[in-house]
Amino acid sequence: MKPLPEIQVHPARPALDDRPLERRVGLIILATDHTTEPDFRRMVAGERIGVYVARIPYANPTTPQNLRKMQPALTAGAALILPDETLDAICYSCTSASVVIGDGEIEAAIQAAKPGVAVLTPPMAGVRGLNAFGARRISILTPYTVETSRPMAAYFATKGFEIASFTCLGFEDDREMARITPAALVDLARQATDAQADALFVSCTALRAALAVTWMEQAIDRPVVTSNQASAWNCLRLCGDETVHPEFGRLMTLPLPRD
């Protein structure tokens, strides 16, 4: 073997950008999550916005008790996303756990690791999305059991919405929820939407509902807001991105309303 050349240290340091990407969105997702990362890669990530993910422990079945067990891991999960660097927004991507734990508790846990960061949850983003449409009477579709759906109904009722109908599918495993076909979700949306509803909210970050949202809207002839779509829209607007993306549903053409 020929002798190796001497390794040279370049005498001048190259110029550095302030950050590799202009905007940074953090995601805290379940260890079992199949759907949030692909959805955010499709709807949020780009040349200006980076999406950075931490996974936290979670064990099925999807019950209020198991969902609540994730709360202690939120601070450590947030701390693992670009340690000692700021984020423009951070989303805890679990709709059912968010309503069980509470938006305020989630915000406090995440800001303990990332002070001052804008924190959002899928139900919080869903409320903002429904408000952007001026919806007051809504239908809700979830993949959960009745037990896990009850806190969801209470959450939206306390936000001032009249719930015209609520349909759940009885699933207990979020990995199975992720396997429900987008085509099936279109049929389910049609069946679950009350004739008097202003809009449909489709809950659960495991569902591939963002892939089907435009077809659901065509099927029911009214706005559809889904967990991942609403979270992605909220993150984009918090990053100053007002680009319209009708291919991801009517919500992606609207500005973020003021709370």
Side-chain angles (χ1 to χ4, degrees):
M1 186 177 71
K2 292 182 179 181
L4 297 175
E6 183 180 355
I7 296 174
Q8 303 288 328
V9 177
H10 194 274
R13 198 173 187 206
L16 302 179
D17 285 328
D18 289 336
R19 39 167 90 176
L21 291 174
E22 182 182 344
R23 298 289 187 176
R24 301 190 282 219
V25 171
L27 278 178
I28 300 174
I29 67 175
L30 281 58
T32 52
D33 188 322
H34 284 269
T35 309
T36 300
E37 283 182 278
D39 276 352
F40 267 65
R41 184 170 61 246
R42 186 182 306 110
M43 293 188 286
V44 178
E47 293 183 0
R48 285 186 59 250
I49 303 175
V51 176
Y52 305 92
V53 184
R55 288 179 177 259
I56 61 174
Y58 174 70
N60 283 292
T62 301
T63 63
Q65 294 75 23
N66 280 349
L67 293 166
R68 194 173 287 110
K69 289 177 182 178
M70 283 187 279
Q71 183 174 356
L74 291 173
T75 301
L80 289 173
I81 303 175
L82 301 181
D84 303 319
E85 297 189 61
T86 59
L87 300 171
D88 296 284
I90 189 165
C91 175
Y92 170 45
S93 190
C94 187
T95 322
S96 51
S98 295
V99 302
V100 170
I101 298 169
D103 291 332
E105 288 78 3
I106 290 168
E107 182 177 56
I110 290 173
Q111 289 185 344
K114 294 288 188 181
V117 71
V119 176
L120 67 124
T121 67
M124 181 193 303
V127 167
R128 290 170 178 165
L130 293 165
N131 285 338
F133 287 112
R136 300 268 46 93
R137 185 184 299 109
I138 63 172
S139 289
I140 299 176
L141 172 64
T142 83
Y144 320 127
T145 62
V146 170
E147 178 191 21
T148 303
S149 293
R150 285 195 185 102
M152 188 71 59
Y155 180 93
F156 281 90
T158 61
K159 299 298 182 180
F161 295 98
E162 177 186 342
I163 301 175
S165 64
F166 196 119
T167 303
C168 69
L169 304 180
F171 282 75
E172 291 187 326
D173 191 317
D174 69 319
R175 296 164 297 182
E176 290 186 342
M177 299 174 198
R179 291 166 54 196
I180 299 172
T181 68
L185 291 173
V186 176
D187 288 335
L188 288 164
R190 186 183 295 109
Q191 298 169 42
T193 305
D194 187 88
Q196 303 303 314
D198 300 320
L200 172 67
F201 178 67
V202 182
S203 178
C204 191
T205 57
L207 291 180
R208 290 176 289 160
L211 292 173
V213 65
T214 57
W215 289 276
M216 287 191 283
E217 289 183 329
Q218 291 174 14
I220 68 173
D221 194 27
R222 67 203 75 191
V224 173
V225 175
T226 82
S227 290
N228 284 350
Q229 171 223 36
S231 296
W233 164 76
N234 205 153
C235 286
L236 285 169
R237 300 301 183 252
L238 288 172
C239 288
D241 189 330
E242 300 292 335
T243 308
V244 300
H245 290 285
E247 69 273 22
F248 300 136
R250 301 181 197 178
L251 181 60
M252 281 288 197
T253 69
L254 301 179
L256 186 68
R258 296 181 179 179
D259 289 334

